[in-house]
Every structure is written in C-alpha cells, then in structure tokens.
Amino acid sequence: MEEDSKPKGLASLLAARRSLQASLDRSRALASALDRAGPRIGEIQQRLPSLEAAVRPIRARREALASAAGHIDRAVGPAAAVLKVFDAVHGLEHSLLADPRTDLPAYLSLLQRLEEALRFLSDNCSLAVQWLDDIVDYLSDHSLADSRFVSLLKSSLESLKSSSAPLDGGLLVAALDKLEGEFRRLLDDHSSPLSMTSSGDDMTIAPSPLPVQIIAKLQAILERMNANNRLNRCVAIYIEVRVSIVQASLRALDLGYLEITQAEFDHVQSIQAHIEKWGRHLEFSVKHLLEAEYKLCADVFERAGPPELWTGCFAEIAAQTGILAFLRFGKTVTESKKDPIKLLKLLDIFNSLNKLRLDFNRLFGGKACADIQNQTRDLIKRVINGACEIFGELLVQVELQRANPPPSDGGVPRLISFITNYCNTLLGEDYRPVLTLVLVIQRSWEQKKFQDSLLIDAILNIMKAIEANFENWSKLYEDVTLSYIFMMNTHWHFFKNLKGTKLGELLGDTWLREHEQYKDYYANFFIRESWGKLPSLLSRDGLILLSGGGRATARDLVKKRLKAFNEMFDEMYQKQSTWVISDNDLRVKICQLVVQAIVPVYRSYMQNYGPLVEQDASASKYVKYTAEGVEKMLGSLFQHKPERSTSLRSRQTNGKVSPAMISKYHTTPTVV
C-alpha cells in the first residue's frame, strides 16, 4: 500500500509543478503585453474626452434640453429640404451630361428642372445655414453641448458659408455648354449655300435657309440660354455660322472684280461687263441672300429679346458677308476718269440701286445698319452728281472738238458716229427714264424745278453743235471735191443711221429728209466737179472733118486727147483711191454714177477712134485702159482699207453703245 501511494503523490506533484510553470508563463506574457500596450493606453486616455464629447455631446439636463427642441426643429427642417434637393440635382447629372440631340425636348425639360432646383438651393441654402448657425450659437450660449463639438460645428458652417464652389458642382455650366454645341450643330447640319442660276432674266434660288422644325429647336435652346445669361454666346455662334454660309454662296459667283482698283478701272475694257454682273450679283445678294438672312434672324431671335437683338445680328451678317464690298465697287467706278461712257456706267449703277431702294430701306433701315446706310447714301450722291456733271459737259466737249482737223479720207468722223449712237442710247428705253430721274433728283438737291424738256433740249443742242462741227470741218479741206465726199458721208450717216431710232424721232422726219437731200446735193457737186470733167477731154471736134483724108492729123489729135484723159484719170484715181465713202450702199451708188458719167463716153470714143492709134507703134502710151478696165477701176474706189476696216461706225442694232465702239472712241475722248 505504501508503494502504491508513492507514485500517486509524485504524479500530483508533477502536475502541480506543470500548473505553476504555465501560470508563470502566462504572467510573463501578460507583463510583456502590458509593457507593449502602455503607450496606446496613454493615447486612449488622451482621446477619451473628445470621444466622450462625440458620443455624448449633449450633457445638459432633460429640462434644459426641452427648451432647445424648438430651435433644433427649425434648423433641421430647412436643412433636410436642402439635402433632398441636392439629392435630386445629383440624380439629374447622368441625363444632363448626355448628348442633347437624342431627345432635345426632354433635355431642355431636365435643364429647366435643374434651374428650378438651383433657384431653390440659392434661395434656401443661406436660410438653412443661418438656422444651423443659430442653433449652434444657442447650444454654445447655454452650454448644452461639449465645447469641442460646438467648435467643430462652427468650423463646418464657416467652411460652408465661405465656399465659392457652385451648388451643382458645375453641372449647369456643363449642360449649357452641351446646348451651345447642339445649337451650332443644328445650324451647321441644316444650313447650305444658296445658288444663283440664270435662265433668261429669271433667277432661281434654293429653298428656305432652315426648316421650320429646326427653327423651333433653335428657339427652344435660346430660351434656356437667355434664362441663364448665355444669349450673347449663341448670337456669336449664329453669326459665325450664317456668315460662312452666305460667304460660300457669294464665292460661287466669282466676285473677284469687286476688288479692282481705280487704276485698273482706267485700263479694263470689259468694265461694262463687270458692272452688268455687279447689278445681277447685288440683286441676288440683297433680294435672296440677305432677304433670307433678315427673315431667319427675325424668326430665330424675335422671342429671345428686343428687336435690337435680331436686327443687330442681321446687320453684323450683312456687313461681314460683302454688302460693303458691293458699295465700295460702285464708289471706285465713280472715282475713275471721266468720259462719256462713264455716264452710262453710272446710270447702270444708279438703276441697280434704285430697283433695290425699297429692299435697302427695309433691310438696312435700322440703327444697327447705320454704316451701310451712310455708304449707300454716299454712293448714290456720287453717282448722281457724277452723271449730271458728265451729261452737262457733253455739249461743251463737242464744241471743243471743232478745232480738230476732219478725217483725211473724207470719212465720217468718229465723234459724229459716237455722239449720234451715244445720244440715241441715252434716249432709249434703258437709259432715258434713269437719266431723267437722276436729273430730277439732282435738281431737287439744288432746290431747282425740273423742266420736262431739260433732257430733250440738251440732246438737241448737242446735235446742233455736231452739225456746226462738220460744217466747219468741211471748210478745212484744201480739195473741195474731198469736202463734198465728207459732207455726203456725214449727211447720209445722219439720215440712214438715225431713221427709225429714238434720236431720229426726236429730230423729226423733216430734219432727216434735209440730210438725205444734202447727200444728193453734194453727190451731184462731187460728180460734176471731179469725174464729170473727164468726158469733155474726149471731144470729137475736128475728127469728123478730118476723117476723110487727114488720118495722120486725126491720129495725132486722138493721141493728144487720150493722153490728156489718161493723165487726168490717173491723177484723179490715184488721189481718190485714198478717199472713203463710209456706207457701202452709198459707195456703190456713187461708183455707179461715176461709171455712168465716164464709161459710156470712153467706150464710144474708143470704138470710133481707137483704131486710129491702135496700129501705131506707140499705141500703148495712149490706149492704156479698156472700157471694162476703166469700169472695174472706178467700181473699186472709196473702199475702206485694211487699216480702217475697224473704223468706228454705227453697227448697233439694239440701240446701245457697244464695248467695241467705246474702245475705239477712247482714241479721241470728248470729256477730259
């Protein structure tokens, strides 16, 4: 039994030893852990007051807190409402950052909701902050909360009141930027240049600049932009896009001639063609391009602001798209050198402007178009004064030409041909009403009464001066027969080229018949004083008596008379071969008269007396021409030589002065 009890006691001792050892190990571990946790415990001890304040900020008694309940409720209510609106704004963010083109009406509706939310926040945020500020002050003043907690609240409120960040975090600005982009896209995608095609006198243009539904979308966008003070940016976009469209339309017209300088005007022979294009292009620009822009500006912007908004927008488009360039071109024409053709150019310009007078007054009548108005008035004043000045000087310039020598070949002077065609042009349907209106306006400016006969009297005086000129010129020829050619040419020119014309009607049938009679008068004088003298040299006197036995004597007499005839024929032919009869019908008639005066006599003489000398060894000295040869030579007289083939003559069939005539006439200008 003793032996059994020893093992049991030892086992218990060992177990106790192991238990003590384990306890010792745990104590050491706990001591080590305590050593390591010491700093953290100190930190916790330091934070305990603030944690306590955070956990239990309100430390007042229940009855003290009861009096603060009303203040807290008044502050929390507005703050909760503001927070709810903030949540709503946040909910709009995804939709407003999307592309507006997908559903523009829905986008605009969302934007309007955002604006309403921001107006609420703008009106209520400050109120909510003020109420919160009041409750914090109340808590602090009545020591109802921990001082650290109150200080933290005050710091947060001050930060909120001093923040400059937008209430929506920039969402409204981003949405408006997208709307601006959509505004530009709608304009770009649905705008196209207008085209001008010519079909006779009619011009066809493309449809309306923008579809009605697009205009409605633009108006809806402008409404929101205007509500957010961003209208000016849309106006700038609109002007930029529409200016580019109108400029594209004008580029297709090739308007390079508008930039021609004054110096170039004095050398460009095709300036009349430029002015004709200018009139057509100006009409297209005003009646179609700018008319369309005028209506479009009104349609798009009339609901976005006062009339000054869209009229100013249109004025800017008109100024930037070239209307001023058209006016500058007209001014350059008025500054070019003076000559009679310039009068027609000025009348063309005035006519184009006058046809567009009502359009100009309507489109450019507002204050925004003051510059266009001023330049238009200045151009009209220059055109009217310049036209009246040139027209008034025509008579004086015609009279000044009287001192110049007449044509050396007896042809129609270029001045006569030009002035008759020129006056006929002024009296035509195209220019007479325009010139009359110009004179009426100019007289009204001078506070003078316009006489209906002013234009007619001026034309008649010019024609009288022309008649006086060629009467004076006829006296300057040394050869009187050449003066007959000159007078015959000139009188026939008046009759043939003015008969049936406006100028001819003005001068009257009696005046025209007098010139026809003068033509015949000088033709008879010419034949009698020149070729009419040759037949007398082929006298038969003495030849009959000698025909029997005195052949030698008769032969000598025939030789003498043929020699005299040949010498005078050669002299007259050589001299008159340089003369000209301007009208071909008149030339043929005069040649026939000359042939009738000479050839029958010469043929008969040669038939009767030619054999007397034809057998002589020196026959070629006396029988130089056959009757057929004489007839052919006389029929070739008075023709235009190659260098005169383009001399100035009246070839117009439409009553207008042609560019060819203008260029030729410039060699002898009448207005300097």
Side-chain angles (χ1 to χ4, degrees):
M1 297 230 4
E2 291 180 0
E3 290 180 359
D4 292 338
S5 61
K6 287 182 179 180
K8 290 183 181 178
L10 180 60
S12 298
L13 182 59
L14 291 173
R17 182 177 178 273
R18 285 193 296 271
S19 176
L20 289 173
Q21 184 65 44
S23 297
L24 181 60
D25 291 338
R26 284 195 298 271
S27 297
R28 290 174 179 171
L30 180 59
S32 178
L34 289 174
D35 290 340
R36 292 195 303 271
R40 293 182 61 190
I41 292 173
E43 182 180 349
I44 291 171
Q45 287 177 339
Q46 293 177 357
R47 293 180 59 189
L48 278 176
S50 60
L51 289 174
E52 183 180 9
V55 175
R56 297 183 60 196
I58 306 301
R59 306 188 56 158
R61 294 187 302 275
R62 179 176 299 179
E63 54 273 15
L65 291 175
S67 63
H71 294 280
I72 295 174
D73 290 341
R74 285 194 299 271
V76 171
V82 168
L83 290 175
K84 186 176 181 180
V85 173
F86 267 117
D87 289 339
V89 168
H90 181 71
L92 298 175
E93 183 175 355
H94 177 74
S95 298
L96 290 176
L97 294 180
D99 194 339
R101 79 174 71 183
T102 304
D103 189 347
L104 182 60
Y107 191 91
L108 294 172
S109 178
L110 290 175
L111 181 59
Q112 192 168 7
R113 287 175 56 190
L114 174 62
E115 294 169 13
E116 294 171 354
L118 292 179
R119 282 196 296 272
F120 177 86
L121 292 176
S122 177
D123 294 339
N124 291 278
C125 272
S126 58
L127 180 61
V129 171
Q130 181 180 349
W131 281 108
L132 291 174
D133 205 16
D134 289 344
I135 190 57
V136 170
D137 289 341
Y138 184 87
L139 294 175
S140 177
D141 294 342
H142 294 79
S143 301
L144 298 179
D146 184 82
S147 60
R148 294 186 183 88
F149 176 72
V150 172
S151 176
L152 180 61
L153 288 177
K154 286 186 175 182
S155 176
S156 298
L157 289 174
E158 289 298 326
S159 176
L160 184 61
K161 287 189 289 185
S162 63
S163 175
S164 60
L167 297 175
D168 63 344
L171 180 58
L172 178 62
V173 172
L176 293 175
D177 288 343
K178 284 187 172 292
L179 269 188
E180 281 185 8
E182 178 65 5
F183 188 83
R184 180 185 291 274
R185 186 195 68 80
L186 288 171
L187 288 173
D188 285 335
D189 291 355
H190 299 279
S191 298
S192 59
L194 297 181
S195 61
M196 184 183 93
T197 58
S198 179
S199 176
D201 294 329
D202 298 327
M203 289 186 295
T204 59
I205 64 171
S208 178
L210 290 179
V212 175
Q213 61 272 24
I214 300 303
I215 294 177
K217 290 183 178 181
L218 294 175
Q219 290 175 333
I221 292 175
L222 288 173
E223 183 179 358
R224 300 271 47 85
M225 289 298 184
N226 192 25
N228 291 278
N229 298 319
R230 296 262 295 239
L231 190 59
N232 288 340
R233 295 179 62 171
C234 282
V235 170
I237 291 173
Y238 181 89
I239 292 174
E240 178 187 343
V241 174
R242 294 309 303 175
V243 164
S244 66
I245 294 299
V246 177
Q247 287 178 340
S249 301
L250 294 175
R251 279 196 298 272
L253 302 181
D254 188 15
L255 300 178
Y257 65 89
L258 294 180
E259 304 303 324
I260 293 178
T261 64
Q262 180 182 341
E264 291 173 320
F265 262 123
D266 295 338
H267 298 89
V268 175
Q269 297 299 329
S270 60
I271 186 60
Q272 189 66 31
H274 288 323
I275 293 178
E276 291 175 1
K277 288 194 297 184
W278 177 85
R280 294 197 310 273
H281 293 163
L282 178 62
E283 181 178 358
F284 174 71
S285 298
V286 173
K287 280 187 169 292
H288 301 290
L289 290 180
L290 294 180
E291 176 70 29
E293 295 305 319
Y294 182 85
K295 292 179 179 178
L296 189 59
C297 281
D299 290 342
V300 172
F301 290 102
E302 64 180 349
R303 290 190 290 178
E308 291 78 10
L309 175 66
W310 70 264
T311 55
C313 180
F314 168 74
E316 190 65 27
I317 292 173
Q320 290 189 33
T321 53
I323 187 64
L324 296 178
F326 280 100
L327 299 178
R328 286 194 297 270
F329 174 88
K331 181 181 178 182
T332 303
V333 175
T334 65
E335 294 173 343
S336 61
K337 66 180 182 181
K338 291 192 299 182
D339 62 32
I341 301 305
K342 181 179 176 180
L343 172 58
L344 302 182
K345 300 174 189 175
L346 295 177
L347 293 179
D348 287 335
I349 290 176
F350 177 82
N351 189 40
S352 295
L353 292 172
N354 189 55
K355 288 191 296 185
L356 297 172
R357 178 171 55 86
L358 296 179
D359 300 282
F360 265 74
N361 291 340
R362 180 169 50 83
L363 297 180
F364 311 122
K367 294 181 179 179
C369 295
D371 189 30
I372 297 176
Q373 296 170 26
N374 293 335
Q375 293 199 37
T376 302
R377 282 194 292 266
D378 178 67
L379 175 58
I380 292 175
K381 184 176 180 180
R382 287 172 175 269
V383 167
I384 290 177
N385 288 338
C388 291
E389 181 182 2
I390 295 174
F391 182 71
E393 290 180 354
L394 284 176
L395 176 61
V396 175
Q397 297 303 327
V398 168
E399 292 173 341
L400 289 175
Q401 297 298 311
R402 197 168 297 165
N404 293 336
S408 60
D409 57 9
V412 178
R414 292 179 177 178
L415 176 65
I416 292 177
S417 180
F418 177 83
I419 289 296
T420 53
N421 281 278
Y422 185 76
C423 291
N424 203 41
T425 299
L426 292 179
L427 291 171
E429 295 179 356
D430 291 337
Y431 287 104
R432 182 171 180 172
V434 181
L435 179 56
T436 300
L437 180 57
V438 166
L439 293 173
V440 169
I441 295 174
Q442 201 265 348
R443 299 284 288 185
S444 68
W445 288 349
E446 296 179 349
Q447 297 183 343
K448 297 179 181 178
K449 185 177 180 181
F450 175 78
Q451 302 293 332
D452 293 338
S453 62
L454 181 61
L455 175 60
I456 301 303
D457 291 344
I459 297 294
L460 291 176
N461 289 334
I462 290 172
M463 297 311 297
K464 291 177 182 178
I466 285 289
E467 288 181 312
N469 280 13
F470 68 73
E471 288 289 346
N472 183 75
W473 288 333
S474 68
K475 299 173 183 178
L476 299 179
Y477 287 104
E478 295 181 1
D479 190 326
V480 68
T481 55
L482 180 55
S483 71
Y484 297 151
I485 289 287
F486 170 76
M487 295 296 279
M488 183 173 52
N489 272 325
T490 305
H491 284 289
W492 181 247
H493 174 85
F494 275 115
F495 173 77
K496 184 172 183 179
N497 290 280
L498 297 184
K499 185 177 181 180
T501 66
K502 296 294 183 180
L503 181 56
E505 293 175 4
L506 173 64
L507 296 172
D509 290 339
T510 301
W511 187 90
L512 291 175
R513 283 196 299 272
E514 287 179 355
H515 283 285
E516 183 182 26
Q517 293 168 0
Y518 274 121
K519 179 266 298 181
D520 294 334
Y521 173 82
Y522 286 109
N524 292 332
F525 262 99
F526 168 72
I527 297 296
R528 188 183 68 185
E529 297 298 326
S530 59
W531 297 100
K533 294 180 178 181
L534 264 68
S536 63
L537 298 178
L538 300 178
S539 174
R540 297 169 183 257
D541 293 345
L543 297 180
I544 297 177
L545 297 175
L546 298 174
S547 62
R551 293 180 63 85
T553 303
R555 183 183 302 111
D556 291 340
L557 191 57
V558 170
K559 287 181 179 180
K560 181 179 179 181
R561 291 175 179 175
L562 284 175
K563 181 180 180 182
F565 175 88
N566 290 336
E567 288 177 351
M568 180 171 285
F569 180 87
D570 288 343
E571 178 185 355
M572 292 181 63
Y573 180 81
Q574 183 177 3
K575 178 174 60 175
Q576 295 190 20
S577 62
T578 62
W579 297 356
V580 167
I581 295 180
S582 303
D583 181 78
N584 187 63
D585 293 339
L586 180 61
R587 188 193 72 80
V588 171
K589 182 177 180 180
I590 296 300
C591 287
Q592 289 174 347
L593 292 176
V594 174
V595 168
Q596 291 172 7
I598 296 174
V599 173
V601 176
Y602 183 74
R603 179 180 288 110
S604 175
Y605 195 84
M606 293 304 297
Q607 288 175 349
N608 292 322
Y609 306 109
L612 291 176
V613 296
E614 288 173 351
Q615 298 176 357
D616 193 280
S618 59
S620 60
K621 294 173 56 178
Y622 307 102
V623 185
K624 294 181 64 175
Y625 307 106
T626 63
E628 291 73 15
V630 170
E631 183 176 358
K632 184 176 181 180
M633 291 175 67
L634 294 176
S636 67
L637 286 172
F638 313 123
Q639 296 189 50
H640 285 277
K641 302 303 180 289
E643 63 272 15
R644 288 191 53 86
S645 61
T646 58
S647 64
L648 194 61
R649 294 197 297 167
S650 176
R651 298 181 181 179
Q652 287 63 45
T653 59
N654 58 1
K656 292 186 177 182
V657 179
S658 69
M661 184 171 67
I662 295 171
S663 63
K664 300 294 188 300
Y665 183 71
H666 281 173
T667 58
T668 55
T670 60
V671 178
V672 296

